[in-house]
């Protein structure tokens, strides 16, 4: 039986963190009919008072990330009066960190979005990644943190963009049997080169859907099963010859693939600091 609930997400910043927490929690429930109401940048009692009638009209669960004590207290009071459950989703983590670090949290909204050095490095990473998509700009690949290689439609570009948003400079190159990659790919020293692969059946399905979305025919080698198997075999031989780590993206989301790559990057960094330079195992 499906139960509909209204979920109010109240944040004093962009609400990105709160939205991700809510999404992760909701993923644990099946057949949940949840109507989300998003209330970002709530930084004053006046703003809070303006949205309370909407919370009352669609009564449900309130999740919030508010650091201002007066605004928090006001929300909690109004929710109690309306009989609404209000949950401060970051309080437990913040409290534990205060104890571990021996200091109090700053209590300032949006601190994770400050335009500090890390922010500008992330912007630079995004610009680099966009400029080095699909084999472009191979002369600068040595400046990358990560280089992704794989056959067409193996999730190289979306994975690159996701990693760029995490602050990593990423280049990617499609592997084509008839067109060998530039020699510089095999001479890279600094970037972590990762091979992406997929099951032939899944790749054919993705390519076929792509062609259909472009109103193009599907009677082509691009979606021929035998041809696709040859492409994947070619890419796998290349990965094996160079000793590059390989990630099978067949049943992985972009986020899961990116997490695996970040883990590989961390492992390589730890091995380098220990003086170990052996290849990384496929994932």
């Amino acid at each position: 039986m499906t139960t509909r609930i209204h979920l109010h997400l109240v944040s004093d910043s962009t609400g990105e963190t709160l939205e991700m927490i809510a999404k992760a929690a909701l993923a644990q429930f099946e057949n949940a009919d949840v109507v989300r109401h998003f209330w970002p940048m709530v930084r004053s009692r006046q703003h809070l008072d303006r949205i309370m009638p909407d919370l009352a009209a669609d009564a449900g669960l309130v999740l919030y990330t508010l650091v201002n004590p007066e605004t928090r207290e006001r929300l909690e009071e109004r929710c109690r009066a309306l009989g609404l459950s209000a949950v401060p989703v970051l309080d437990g983590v913040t409290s534990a960190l205060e104890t571990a670090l021996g200091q109090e949290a700053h209590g300032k909204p949006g601190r994770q979005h400050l335009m500090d050095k890390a922010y500008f490095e992330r912007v630079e990473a995004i610009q680099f990644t966009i400029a080095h998509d699909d084999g472009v700009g191979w002369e600068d690949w040595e400046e990358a943190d990560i280089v992704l290689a794989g056959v067409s439609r193996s999730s190289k570009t979306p994975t690159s963009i996701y990693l760029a948003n995490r602050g990593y400079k990423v280049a990617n190159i499609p592997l084509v049997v008839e067109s060998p990659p530039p020699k510089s790919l095999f001479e890279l020293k600094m970037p972590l080169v990762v091979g992406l692969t997929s099951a032939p059946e899944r790749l054919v399905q993705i390519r076929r859907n792509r062609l259909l979305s472009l109103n193009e025919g599907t009677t082509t080698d691009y979606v021929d099963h035998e041809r696709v198997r040859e492409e994947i075999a070619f890419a796998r031989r290349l990965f094996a010859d160079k000793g590059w780590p390989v990630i099978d993206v067949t049943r992985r989301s972009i986020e899961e693939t990116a997490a695996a790559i970040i883990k590989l990057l961390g492992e390589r960094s730890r091995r380098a600091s220990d003086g170990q330079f052996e290849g990384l195992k496929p994932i």
Side-chain angles (χ1 to χ4, degrees), residues 38-113:
F38 190 42
W39 310 101
M41 307 305 291
V42 180
R43 296 185 174 180
S44 67
R45 291 183 54 166
Q46 292 78 11
H47 189 170
L48 181 62
D49 287 341
R50 288 198 300 271
I51 70 172
M52 286 310 301
D54 294 294
L55 270 69
D58 295 309
L61 176 62
V62 179
L63 305 183
Y64 67 91
T65 51
L66 302 175
V67 297
N68 182 276
E70 292 184 1
T71 311
R72 285 170 56 103
E73 184 177 355
R74 180 69 169 174
L75 175 64
E76 292 164 357
E77 288 176 354
R78 297 294 300 274
C79 285
R80 280 196 297 269
L82 293 169
L84 303 178
S85 296
V87 181
V89 298
L90 291 180
D91 275 22
V93 177
T94 303
S95 177
L97 285 171
E98 286 179 332
T99 300
L101 296 172
Q103 58 177 289
E104 291 186 3
H106 285 285
K108 295 180 181 179
R111 281 186 62 85
Q112 72 271 36
H113 301 297

Side-chain angles (χ1 to χ4, degrees), residues 6-215:
H6 291 274
L7 183 64
H8 295 273
L9 307 177
V10 184
S11 172
D12 52 18
S13 186
T14 63
E16 180 182 350
T17 300
L18 183 57
E19 194 169 24
M20 290 176 64
I21 292 172
K23 182 179 179 180
L26 288 170
Q28 304 301 316
F29 299 89
E30 296 181 356
N31 302 320
D33 184 6
V34 179
V35 181
R36 303 187 201 186
H37 305 269
F38 190 42
W39 310 101
M41 307 305 291
V42 180
R43 296 185 174 180
S44 67
R45 291 183 54 166
Q46 292 78 11
H47 189 170
L48 181 62
D49 287 341
R50 288 198 300 271
I51 70 172
M52 286 310 301
D54 294 294
L55 270 69
D58 295 309
L61 176 62
V62 179
L63 305 183
Y64 67 91
T65 51
L66 302 175
V67 297
N68 182 276
E70 292 184 1
T71 311
R72 285 170 56 103
E73 184 177 355
R74 180 69 169 174
L75 175 64
E76 292 164 357
E77 288 176 354
R78 297 294 300 274
C79 285
R80 280 196 297 269
L82 293 169
L84 303 178
S85 296
V87 181
V89 298
L90 291 180
D91 275 22
V93 177
T94 303
S95 177
L97 285 171
E98 286 179 332
T99 300
L101 296 172
Q103 58 177 289
E104 291 186 3
H106 285 285
K108 295 180 181 179
R111 281 186 62 85
Q112 72 271 36
H113 301 297
L114 290 176
M115 295 177 67
D116 54 9
K117 180 182 178 182
Y119 172 84
F120 289 106
E121 287 177 347
R122 189 164 65 252
V123 171
E124 183 181 354
I126 293 171
Q127 292 173 336
F128 179 93
T129 301
I130 292 173
H132 295 81
D133 182 42
D134 206 30
V136 175
W138 56 266
E139 304 90 344
D140 306 322
W141 283 355
E142 196 62 53
E143 300 175 23
D145 299 306
I146 302 162
V147 174
L148 302 181
V151 299
S152 174
R153 313 312 296 179
S154 55
S155 303
K156 297 182 301 298
T157 295
T159 303
S160 296
I161 296 299
Y162 184 89
L163 286 165
N165 278 278
R166 296 288 299 272
Y168 299 97
K169 292 182 179 180
V170 187
N172 74 76
I173 179 171
L175 298 179
V176 182
V177 177
E178 299 83 2
S179 178
K183 183 180 177 182
S184 61
L185 176 64
F186 309 110
E187 299 173 344
L188 295 174
K189 298 290 190 294
M190 296 302 294
L192 171 68
V193 182
V194 179
L196 301 184
T197 188
S198 180
E201 296 77 14
R202 177 60 174 161
L203 203 56
V204 168
Q205 180 184 10
I206 293 173
R207 290 182 177 186
R208 188 180 297 277
N209 290 339
R210 175 62 174 169
L211 292 176
L212 290 173
S213 71
L214 297 174
N215 294 319

Side-chain angles (χ1 to χ4, degrees), residues 198-245:
S198 180
E201 296 77 14
R202 177 60 174 161
L203 203 56
V204 168
Q205 180 184 10
I206 293 173
R207 290 182 177 186
R208 188 180 297 277
N209 290 339
R210 175 62 174 169
L211 292 176
L212 290 173
S213 71
L214 297 174
N215 294 319
E216 296 184 8
T218 57
T219 55
T220 169
D221 285 348
Y222 188 62
V223 292
D224 179 75
H225 282 76
E226 188 57 37
R227 179 61 176 171
V228 171
R229 289 192 185 92
E230 291 176 2
E231 287 184 52
I232 294 174
F234 164 76
R236 282 191 171 277
R237 285 195 300 271
L238 180 61
F239 301 153
D241 289 344
K242 301 304 298 181
W244 293 333

